[in-house]
Amino acid sequence: MAGLEGMEQPRGHAPVAAARWSPTVEDERALKAMELYGNPTEAEVLLPSRPESAATARRLAQVVVLRHWGLTPKTTEDAVLLVSELVGNAVRHTGARVFGLRLHRRRGCIRVEVRDPSRGLPCLMPVQEMDVSGRGLFLVDKLADRWGVDLLPRGKTTWFEMRVAGR
């Protein structure tokens, strides 16, 4: 590499990297998250309002949508991305200690809900090509078939729905 002559280059550790990012390891992490926090299809799962909880929420969504519901990898990818965006907004903008995650499936549709104690409404902002943040609701608006916010006596639920084929 230019400018790095004489410097020892990192050696590849393909077996370690492959094991760390394999679907099997991700499934194990997702199942462990479900054991620890609960199944978001059975009851609302409460997660701490910290940035690292986005990874937990993504894992929970992935194991439910792909493994339990048997939906396509594309649907799973989109749902997991949108979960991450809603969770990111809840963590970044609400000042909450915890937020709730819930996933529902009914004929032809999945619905994902993120509940937080803030009554501040999310705002869909115009996005420019060079923007490095503020794209969350833009992505939700583009990839989900419907989305919205339900105000609660103490907080709100931000949700999205996606049409899916099948049962």
Side-chain angles (χ1 to χ4, degrees), residues 37 47-59 87 91 99:
Y37 294 102
L47 296 168
S49 190
R50 296 191 303 251
E52 56 269 20
S53 289
T56 302
R58 285 192 300 270
R59 286 184 180 115
V87 167
V91 170
F99 64 89

Side-chain angles (χ1 to χ4, degrees), residues 12 14 28 34 40-41 54 58 60 62-63 73 80 84 99 113 127 138 140 143 147 150 156 160:
E28 287 174 17
M34 198 172 283
T41 66
R58 285 192 300 270
L60 289 170
Q62 181 177 1
V63 78
V80 167
S84 190
F99 64 89
E113 301 173 346
V127 175
F138 175 80
V140 172
L143 295 175
W147 71 274
D150 297 332
K156 68 178 174 299
F160 68 85

Side-chain angles (χ1 to χ4, degrees), residues 78-127:
D78 289 350
V80 167
L81 172 63
L82 299 186
V83 164
S84 190
E85 296 301 335
L86 292 188
V87 167
N89 285 347
V91 170
R92 231 183 273 76
H93 301 297
T94 68
R97 289 189 192 142
V98 297
F99 64 89
L101 175 68
R102 183 95 162 115
L103 283 79
H104 304 274
R105 180 164 185 204
R106 60 181 190 266
R107 180 179 216 110
C109 181
I110 64 171
R111 179 179 171 110
V112 175
E113 301 173 346
V114 174
R115 185 185 57 80
D116 65 70
S118 169
R119 288 181 56 87
L121 296 175
C123 184
L124 179 61
M125 303 294 287
V127 175

Side-chain angles (χ1 to χ4, degrees), residues 15 22-24 32 60 66-68 71 77 90 93 107 111 116 118-119 130 134 142 146 163:
S22 75
T24 303
K32 195 167 282 200
L60 289 170
L66 186 62
R67 303 289 181 232
H68 292 182
L71 298 178
E77 180 182 347
H93 301 297
R107 180 179 216 110
R111 179 179 171 110
D116 65 70
S118 169
R119 288 181 56 87
M130 299 302 289
K142 291 298 178 199
R146 290 178 3 128
R163 281 188 220 107

Side-chain angles (χ1 to χ4, degrees), residues 15-38:
V16 172
R20 185 176 33 190
W21 294 107
S22 75
T24 303
V25 171
E26 282 306 304
D27 279 351
E28 287 174 17
R29 289 179 178 161
L31 292 171
K32 195 167 282 200
M34 198 172 283
E35 284 176 23
L36 185 61
Y37 294 102

